Amino acid sequence: MDVHPQLLRALRAVLETGSLTAASERLGFTQSALSKQIASLETAAGVQLLRRGPRGVEPTEAGHRLAARAASILDQYDAAQRELDDLATPVGGRVALGGFPTTAMRLVPRTIARVRAEHPSVEVDFLESSTPVQIRRLRAGRLDLALLSSGEGLPGWDLTGIEVERLPSGPLLLAVGRRHRLARAERVAVADLADEDWIAGRGARGEPQFGAWPTLSRPRVVAELGDWSTRLGFVAAGIGVTTVPGLAAGALPEGVFCVEVDDPQWTGRELLLAWIGALAGPAAAVRAGLRKEASNR
């Protein structure tokens, strides 16, 4: 099967977002153009890849299998392009750092500012994505360093051949609005959260999202929103509460307060810094900056 890489990107975007509309917005195409790309891919493959279901577009078994292959193909394609770009324009002191969204709220920008101040010749390119995407990018050579989330409620990531270092991350916290009954509390029992309205995260299928407290059996979710600023805006307005990692505690908007939760059933998650091979020069400087900022929260 000889197809343009864009057709594979189109399929992967549809599967990750669950709809042609969301996928077209992500890729910057009209929905009609994206539909034509999928049709071209189905023609080349000789099988149906997608079908419309009650919750949007659903992949066929062939669609699932091709998308799994596409992820690996596209990662290798991007790695080859990056190597060619490096030959044409040596990156010198450039470091590619990846992190999941909440690392971008405080830890990553403060680290970049620190590195710029201490090492003006080092440039940091930040790529925000989920942990599984970062692991793929790290293996494909698209990242030099990656901040990963690991622990309870998450899959057991395959980190074979990847070096990891644990960084301080703080506990999972409850975020409430200024008028909420718990806004001035320093600590609450998990049982006190049973009747709360929750604002949950919404992202690509299979990706973990912050939202209701993880050990509550039947939380009442009143909204699912994809963007952190939107979620926290709903919290500030008193529409509901949500969970935030300790990493984000110092970057919450005005009108949102954090409360610690006593929950003996929750063992928590870890923040991992990952890389492949030996670290030296610019990458080592960025690693040192991350360690300092993670410890200075």
Side-chain angles (χ1 to χ4, degrees):
M1 186 173 63
D2 185 11
V3 298
H4 193 282
Q6 177 53 43
L7 303 186
L8 299 179
R9 295 188 195 280
L11 176 63
R12 188 167 67 175
V14 172
L15 265 64
E16 288 178 348
T17 61
S19 77
L20 289 170
T21 300
S24 62
E25 291 176 354
R26 173 188 288 190
L27 296 175
F29 293 103
T30 65
Q31 186 171 334
S32 174
L34 186 65
S35 296
K36 290 179 180 179
Q37 291 176 14
I38 295 297
S40 297
L41 184 59
E42 289 181 326
T43 299
V47 293
Q48 183 181 4
L49 301 174
L50 301 173
R51 65 168 67 93
R52 293 195 176 276
R55 297 185 177 180
V57 178
E58 300 286 344
T60 63
E61 179 61 25
H64 268 303
R65 295 194 180 192
L66 182 56
R69 293 288 186 183
S72 177
I73 292 168
L74 291 171
D75 282 341
Q76 291 301 317
Y77 181 90
D78 291 340
Q81 185 63 58
R82 183 179 174 186
E83 289 180 5
L84 293 176
D85 291 342
D86 288 350
L87 287 175
T89 308
V91 295
R94 190 177 300 275
V95 177
L97 168 66
F100 50 93
T102 47
T103 65
M105 297 174 72
R106 181 178 172 89
L107 175 60
V108 167
R110 291 175 68 92
T111 296
I112 292 176
R114 174 186 286 272
V115 171
R116 284 181 175 178
E118 296 179 354
H119 307 279
S121 63
V122 175
E123 297 183 48
V124 181
D125 293 331
F126 178 63
L127 290 82
E128 180 185 300
S129 59
S130 65
T131 289
V133 171
Q134 288 189 80
I135 293 173
R136 291 205 309 264
R137 288 175 172 171
L138 196 62
R139 294 191 188 281
R142 295 181 60 194
L143 292 177
D144 300 302
L145 294 165
L147 291 162
L148 314 177
S149 181
S150 176
E152 187 172 344
L154 297 178
W157 312 121
D158 179 10
L159 300 178
T160 305
I162 297 177
E163 302 291 335
V164 296
E165 175 183 6
R166 288 169 176 80
L167 298 180
S169 60
L172 186 65
L173 301 170
L174 175 72
V176 304
R178 69 167 75 247
R179 296 185 181 86
H180 192 276
R181 62 186 178 86
L182 299 176
R184 298 296 181 266
E186 293 184 1
R187 201 172 188 91
V188 298
V190 68
D192 293 334
L193 308 180
D195 296 325
E196 293 294 335
D197 291 334
W198 293 91
I199 310 297
R202 182 180 64 199
R205 292 176 182 174
E207 292 184 4
Q209 296 293 327
F210 289 94
W213 191 262
T215 62
L216 291 178
S217 58
R218 299 180 65 181
R220 184 169 60 247
V221 177
V222 298
E224 293 184 356
L225 304 167
D227 184 77
W228 267 107
S229 61
T230 307
R231 269 179 268 173
L232 294 174
F234 272 53
V235 171
I239 297 172
V241 301
T242 193
T243 54
V244 296
L247 283 171
L252 297 181
E254 183 178 357
V256 178
F257 296 83
C258 282
V259 182
E260 293 191 23
V261 179
D262 280 324
D263 185 357
Q265 297 182 59
W266 175 245
T267 58
R269 294 177 181 174
E270 294 181 315
L271 174 64
L272 305 179
L273 177 60
W275 66 91
I276 294 177
L279 285 184
V286 175
R287 175 192 179 190
L290 286 165
R291 296 168 72 179
K292 292 176 182 177
E293 288 302 329
S295 301
N296 288 343
R297 283 181 304 100

